[in-house]
Amino acid sequence: PKGGDATIHWHTLAYRSYNPFRGKGLMKAFTKFALDEYTRARPGIQLWTAIHSDNVASIGLSKALGLEIDDALTKEVGESVIMVRK
């Protein structure tokens, strides 16, 4: 994300789920597995994602994966919520 400490190694998190798989509880376990493998191979990175503010399910998934809303960065972009995991 823009702003903040330029020495941080930010990596972007993005995921997508399509019908008929939405709402089946598949994303949390799979995305957690993928993130664990990804971050294990890249120590010291930090993750960020931008989620439309009305996408409650995606915000909940990101929170379950350990990301938190960054209020300062969110204010900069308007209609999206910026979430980070440090």
Side-chain angles (χ1 to χ4, degrees), residues 2-85:
K2 293 181 181 179
D5 187 344
T7 63
I8 296 173
H9 298 284
W10 289 106
H11 289 231
T12 305
L13 170 63
Y15 48 79
R16 201 172 282 244
S17 178
Y18 297 98
N19 286 327
F21 305 106
R22 283 189 182 148
K24 306 292 185 200
L26 302 172
M27 288 296 292
K28 182 178 175 183
F30 177 74
T31 307
K32 182 181 180 332
F33 165 77
L35 285 179
D36 288 349
E37 291 298 313
Y38 189 84
T39 56
R40 189 178 357 261
R42 295 159 184 84
I45 67 162
Q46 296 180 5
L47 299 169
W48 77 281
T49 189
I51 303 170
H52 200 279
S53 60
D54 66 355
N55 192 341
V56 177
S58 187
I59 292 170
L61 174 59
S62 287
K63 285 181 178 179
L65 296 169
L67 283 85
E68 300 174 356
I69 294 172
D70 186 306
D71 292 323
L73 293 173
T74 295
K75 288 178 185 175
E76 291 182 21
V77 296
E79 64 186 36
S80 292
V81 174
I82 304 299
M83 300 185 72
V84 299
R85 183 169 89 174

